Every structure is written in structure tokens, then in C-alpha cells.
Amino acid sequence: MANAPRTAPLDLIDVDSLHSDEERQIRSVVRRVVDDRVRPHVAQWYEEGRVPARELALEFGKLGLLGMHLTGYGCAGASAVAYGLACMELEAGDSGVRSLVSVQGSLAMYAIWRFGSDEQKQRWLPRMATGEAVGCFGLTEPDHGSDPASMTTRARRSGDDWLLSGTKMWITNAPIADVAVIWARVDDRVAGFVVPMDTPGVTAREIRHKLSLRASSTGEITLDDARLPASARLPEAAGLKAPLSCLTEARQGITWGALGVARDCLHTAIEYATSREQFGRPIAAFQLTQAKLADMAVELHKGYLLALHLSRLADAGTLRPEQVSVGKLNNVREALAIARQCRTILGANGISGEYPVLRHANNLESVLTYEGTSEIHQLVIGQHLTGLAAFA
């Protein structure tokens, strides 16, 4: 049988035909900046455990990627699909780079945009949209990850001011941030606060020795009776539903971003398998290798169709939180399986930093956990199917 022409990982069922010209153009622009600005350097960033996050934020701001799905205040007002495609291209470069954009736009900016006062929006959102100001989102605590309702960070009144005390852990962008959205308990409810990071009593410590998301700035925030004016509170955020809605917003980007990892790993494996020879022919010519590639391509396309469907629902205003859980659970889980399988095709070269596969796999171990572990999303879906909560 004659050799058939090769097909790119996402050309198998012509998913490109499902997009508008504008969506494809946005994807191309982000892909170019990742190719130019991220790919040549990311292996070194990962190895050294550092990333020029503030420089990247400014570059991404110039392209309108920060808070791109929000409206007003210098934000692009792009569709959920366009935002998803941008996240896919960013994470094809590295999960840490996508995390920078996702935390900035879908967590910190979205919280202020959705729950903030006019003064808070005017002060922070325009500068965050350009990357001049970097934000972070302080929800997770050292002893309270999947159970944010048990947070111990407290806000108490002191005259007209608020005093915040507590610790937030595993906070992306914290060491470089200008502002943090901090969630704290006020009496028996959860409230949000916009906290400038230069506030006395606020300190951020870089978390070192990570084995995942090394090209990402991650920190611990300590609040020691940090004094804030009454105007620092997010006026429209009432209860735990507010920060959870921010996480739902960000999970859409993760659903797409994981596809970028899967696509990049599969592309790498195909390129390697068609050029690497063993037993006198390319390893791509062996049935076992082709079976692996075929199965991974099928899962990649299924995840893509799921992400696209969910984003179309989001653009229509009908997307529900449990549907986002389906996307995050499936796409991250399958992307991690694809990364691991691609590593087997590369053999010993799969652990080399010259190839992105194991770096992607290591990063996905964090993505699998943050913004809802797989188990939490299984319980969200299970509750929707049965009507019974199984969280306790």
C-alpha cells in the first residue's frame, strides 16, 4: 500500500471547519507569540524554576489576552470560544504560561469585574488588562484546599477599616502580584477583598523546589492584621458562591488548555516516530505505535468537541457549573494520559528537556489538582446525576 499523506493531530475530522475566520485568526496570533516568545526559552525557564512573568504579562496585554473575554475597562470582549482557543495555544507552550493568563483574567480580573465596585474596577481593571498590574487570587489555604468553606482566614472590623489575618497557599502570581483578591471569613460568611500587595502586614513568599509548573511564579501569602479601608471589600460578593463562580470561569480555560498540551505531545510523538528508526524502519510503521497514536488522536478530538460545545453554551449564556466539571475532569485526565503515552513512544528521549513531553506531563499533575481535583469534579457530576451530595 502506498504511503498516505500525513495528517496534523487536529486535522483528522476537520475541526477547523467549526470555527469562524475571526476565531481562527485569534488562534493564529496567539500561536505565533507562543512560538516566538515562549517555545525558544521555556525549557530553560522550567529547568531554572523561573519565568519572566511580568514581561510576558506586558506582551500578552498588548495582544489583548488578559481578561480578553471580559467587556469594558480595556478588555477585548472576546467570545468564550476565542478565549478557549487562546488558552489552548498558550498551554501548548507551557501550562505555567497559560496559568499566568488564566489567573490574571479569569480569577483576579473576573472577580473584580463581576463583584467589585466602580472604583475598584476603574482603579485595577484597565492596568490589569494591559499587564501593567498583575493580580492573583487568594482562596486556597495550607490546610483547606478542596474544602474552602473551612477557611481560617478572617476579616474583622476595626473602626471603619478591616483587619485581615490568615495564610493563603499555592497562589499563582503571588510573588509578582500588585493586587490580590483575598477571600476571608466575616462572621459566618465568606467575603472578598481587593488587597494591594504593598499593604503593611501583607507578605508573599515564593514556593521553591516544585517539580511541576516550574515556569510559573507560585507563592504563599501571609496576612498579619493587614489593615484595609471599608472600600476594599467586594460589594457584590456574598458567600462562598462568589469565589466558586470565579473558579467555574477559570475552568473553562483549563478545559481548552489541556488540549494544547495533548496536541503538542501528540505532534511531538508523531514527528519523533516518523523519523526514529529501529529494526530498519521508522517506529511509526509498527502496529503498536500506530495503535497508540490513533487512540490518542481520537481522545484529543473528543476533548476538543467537548470544549467547543461547552464554550458555545457559555457564549449563549446557558453553561452550567456541572457541565464545566465534565470538561475539566475529562480533558485534563485524558491530556495527562496522552502525555504519558507519548513519553513511551519517545523512549528514553521522552525524559529529556529537549522534548516537551515530560515537562507537559509534570505540569498536568498540578492542573489535575488545582481549581478542583478530579475527585471533586466527579462528586459534582455525581450529585447532579443522583441529587445526593457526597462531599462529606
Side-chain angles (χ1 to χ4, degrees), residues 258-279:
L259 298 173
V261 168
R263 187 195 71 201
D264 198 52
C265 289
L266 184 54
H267 173 77
T268 301
I270 292 171
E271 291 293 311
Y272 185 88
T274 52
S275 61
R276 171 75 167 177
E277 291 193 1
Q278 293 289 282
F279 305 103

Side-chain angles (χ1 to χ4, degrees), residues 364-379:
L364 285 179
E365 292 290 351
S366 292
V367 180
L368 192 72
T369 296
Y370 69 33
E371 297 184 35
T373 65
S374 291
E375 293 82 358
I376 289 297
H377 290 296
Q378 286 173 318
L379 295 181

Side-chain angles (χ1 to χ4, degrees), residues 182-197:
I182 298 291
W183 300 94
R185 186 163 295 284
V186 177
D187 299 324
D188 61 343
R189 303 200 74 183
V190 170
F193 296 85
V194 179
V195 182
M197 292 297 285

